[in-house]
């Protein structure tokens, strides 16, 4: 066993470690140069067969060589581990400043939450929520509500007829079996009177349809909320008090309503209901320095229609008008959303752009 041979084995091992570019290569070199079948291990095994003098010398040489090899191995191991750690830190770095919520929580449309808010005011007074179909019998939408057969609101310029058109395509205004998309939530009045026990206290939020073009202030599909109260001894002052309570609950305790005479076939007397302007609270009236765009400096905003339910409607629905009386009102939710939240274009409410809905908050 020549000293040069042992040196060569050592040098080959050192060269292999130095050449190992990563920990896997180093592991392979380790097995090849320090494992049980490596040249140095085999040489070590042969020592036993040497004569005593040569044994001591060879033992010393091989021991030194193996010492040098394992030192070099450990040093290269440390080096390569440090390299790997540095690389991993860069490659697997986590940018903690990246947004964690790429899919933001959804929310319901402000029209829905507005309708619920209005309905809640009445539910807290004991009213029940009522519903009716959007594809409605013409009888419920018009006849039961005392619309005469040739009432202009039945014409196609207002009403989407689903069925009940003449051969020339014009609607049959005298056909009681016609089917329409309901033009208001008032048919639910008749449905509630026919389907419920008296007294009746209901609110009905829902979608309605009219043949309007979509523009800044019109949409062919919009929402109304209808109220109907039928009991013994109800008067117009109950209507007025209920309206006042509603606008106070929704817009603040300093709110007021006023009634202006109007006509609806299904209420008598009928009125247009206004509320104090939500924005200027009436202060823009006669005050040229402080004009109000919301109410055009009139001080009042028109909310919708109301009145005492026409005895003819009660009779058509089998209710004795001598014993029972009541009131109804109905108004548009889109309009209310517009002036309550300063929405200037109704189209924003139907286009589904989250930039419109987001400022209303993630109310669910
Ligand atoms: N239905 C009427 C409309 O759409 C509003 C209304 C409801 C009027 C109830 C009186 C009573 O214009």
């Amino acid at each position: 066993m020549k000293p040069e041979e042992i040196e060569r084995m050592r040098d080959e091992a050192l060269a292999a470690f130095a050449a190992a570019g990563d920990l896997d290569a180093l592991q392979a070199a380790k097995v090849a140069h320090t494992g049980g079948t490596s040249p140095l291990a085999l040489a070590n095994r042969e020592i036993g067969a040497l004569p005593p003098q040569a044994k001591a010398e060879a033992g010393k040489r091989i021991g030194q060589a193996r010492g040098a090899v394992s030192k070099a191995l450990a040093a290269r191991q440390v080096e390569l581990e440090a390299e790997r750690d540095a690389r991993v830190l860069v490659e697997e770095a986590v940018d903690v400043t990246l947004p964690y919520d790429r899919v933001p929580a959804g929310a319901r449309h402000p029209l829905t939450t507005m309708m619920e808010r209005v309905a809640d005011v009445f539910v807290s007074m004991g009213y029940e929520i009522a519903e009716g179909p959007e594809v409605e019998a013409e009888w419920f939408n018009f006849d039961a509500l005392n619309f005469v057969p040739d009432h202009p609101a039945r014409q196609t310029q207002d009403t989407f007829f689903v069925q009940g058109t003449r051969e020339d395509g014009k609607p049959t205004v005298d056909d009681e079996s016609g089917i329409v998309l309901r033009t208001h939530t008032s048919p639910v009045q008749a449905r509630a009177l026919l389907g419920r026990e008296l007294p009746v206290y209901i609110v009905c939020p829902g979608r309605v349809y009219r043949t309007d073009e979509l523009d800044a202030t019109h949409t062919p599909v919009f929402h109304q909320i209808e109220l109907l109260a039928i009991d013994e001894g109800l008067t117009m002052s109950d209507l007025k008090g209920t309206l006042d309570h509603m606008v106070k609950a929704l817009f603040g305790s300093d709110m007021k309503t006023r009634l202006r005479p109007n006509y609806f076939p299904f209420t008598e007397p009928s009125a247009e209901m206004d509320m104090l302007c939500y924005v200027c609270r009436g202060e823009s009236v006669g005050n040229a320095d402080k004009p109000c765009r919301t109410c055009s400096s009139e001080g009042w905003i028109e909310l919708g229609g109301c009145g005492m339910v026409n005895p003819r409607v009660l009779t058509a629905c089998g209710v004795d008008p001598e014993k029972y009386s009541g009131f109804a009102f109905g108004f548009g939710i889109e309009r209310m959303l517009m002036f309550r939240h300063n929405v200037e274009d109704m189209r924003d409410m139907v286009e589904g752009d989250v930039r419109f809905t987001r400022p209303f908050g993630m109310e669910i």
Side-chain angles (χ1 to χ4, degrees):
M1 201 173 299
K2 294 189 186 126
E4 313 86 75
E5 252 174 75
I6 292 170
E7 272 169 30
R8 184 181 49 77
M9 290 176 196
R10 182 197 63 194
D11 292 346
E12 276 176 11
L14 299 188
F17 296 159
D22 58 32
L23 288 164
D24 287 342
L26 187 63
Q27 177 63 23
K30 177 184 172 181
V31 171
H33 294 281
T34 67
T37 55
S38 63
L40 274 172
L42 295 177
N44 198 42
R45 239 178 270 159
E46 284 167 24
I47 294 174
L50 296 173
Q53 182 56 32
K55 191 192 266 183
E57 203 160 308
K60 194 176 159 206
R61 253 190 214 111
I62 294 178
Q64 279 172 351
R66 296 180 84 195
V69 166
S70 60
K71 227 172 123 192
L73 174 66
R76 186 69 181 139
Q77 177 87 19
V78 169
E79 235 171 69
L80 288 175
E81 277 175 2
E83 254 176 61
R84 180 206 51 198
D85 291 350
R87 195 180 58 245
V88 162
L89 276 179
V90 174
E91 282 175 2
E92 297 179 14
V94 174
D95 183 353
V96 292
T97 66
L98 286 174
Y100 64 92
D101 55 350
R102 284 291 178 86
V103 183
R108 287 174 312 154
H109 196 277
L111 279 173
T112 313
T113 43
M114 187 77 226
M115 276 199 289
E116 267 180 25
R117 195 169 290 162
V118 178
D120 278 353
V121 172
F122 295 106
V123 168
S124 70
M125 287 195 278
Y127 282 73
E128 288 177 25
I129 304 284
E131 285 185 333
E134 290 170 25
V135 180
E136 182 58 288
E138 197 179 348
W139 188 84
F140 278 110
N141 196 79
F142 292 124
D143 300 81
L145 299 175
N146 193 38
F147 282 84
V148 287
D150 59 354
H151 193 284
R154 297 200 197 208
Q155 301 296 314
T156 37
Q157 69 261 29
D158 280 317
T159 308
F160 286 110
F161 280 83
V162 177
Q163 241 177 55
T165 48
R166 296 197 307 239
E167 276 178 4
D168 60 6
K170 298 232 173 71
T172 51
V173 290
D174 54 356
D175 181 357
E176 287 189 358
S177 66
I179 306 284
V180 301
L181 296 184
R182 69 178 176 193
T183 58
H184 51 177
T185 41
S186 298
V188 176
Q189 289 187 28
R191 288 186 173 273
L193 289 175
L194 286 167
R196 289 171 185 254
E197 297 287 321
L198 291 162
V200 163
Y201 288 88
I202 55 120
V203 267
C204 169
R207 209 175 278 141
V208 301
Y209 302 82
R210 287 184 202 173
T211 54
D212 285 322
E213 293 290 332
L214 182 65
D215 64 23
T217 53
H218 296 87
T219 145
V221 185
F222 58 105
H223 299 78
Q224 288 189 331
I225 191 156
E226 186 87 12
L227 177 138
L228 174 71
I230 302 291
D231 205 340
E232 290 181 48
L234 290 182
T235 68
M236 200 123 181
S237 61
D238 295 306
L239 165 61
K240 173 79 172 144
T242 307
L243 287 174
D244 276 347
H245 175 76
M246 178 186 75
V247 296
K248 284 191 164 88
L250 289 171
F251 294 93
S253 53
D254 56 342
M255 272 293 152
K256 290 187 186 120
T257 61
R258 75 173 182 189
L259 299 179
R260 284 178 293 117
N262 196 7
Y263 173 77
F264 296 102
F266 42 98
T267 45
E268 184 57 36
S270 301
E272 206 62 57
M273 50 166 167
D274 296 344
M275 60 176 262
L276 207 57
C277 175
Y278 177 55
V279 175
C280 74
R281 314 251 155 174
E283 277 166 22
S284 65
V285 182
N287 191 346
D289 301 337
K290 273 200 194 165
C292 178
R293 281 166 67 200
T294 305
C295 64
S296 310
S297 300
E298 291 191 359
W300 296 90
I301 303 174
E302 192 181 308
L303 249 190
C306 65
M308 300 306 290
V309 175
N310 193 321
R312 287 180 184 225
V313 174
L314 296 179
T315 307
C317 297
V319 175
D320 180 3
E322 296 294 323
K323 191 169 172 209
Y324 288 97
S325 60
F327 56 87
F329 61 77
F331 56 84
I333 298 292
E334 275 77 357
R335 260 182 59 76
M336 186 178 259
L337 197 68
M338 281 179 101
F339 63 73
R340 196 173 192 270
H341 295 278
N342 240 327
V343 179
E344 288 182 351
D345 196 322
M346 242 184 221
R347 285 169 288 200
D348 289 337
M349 298 182 198
V350 296
E351 277 168 359
D353 188 330
V354 290
R355 286 172 299 181
F356 169 72
T357 46
R358 203 174 277 142
F360 289 91
M362 293 283 124
E363 206 171 319
I364 47 173

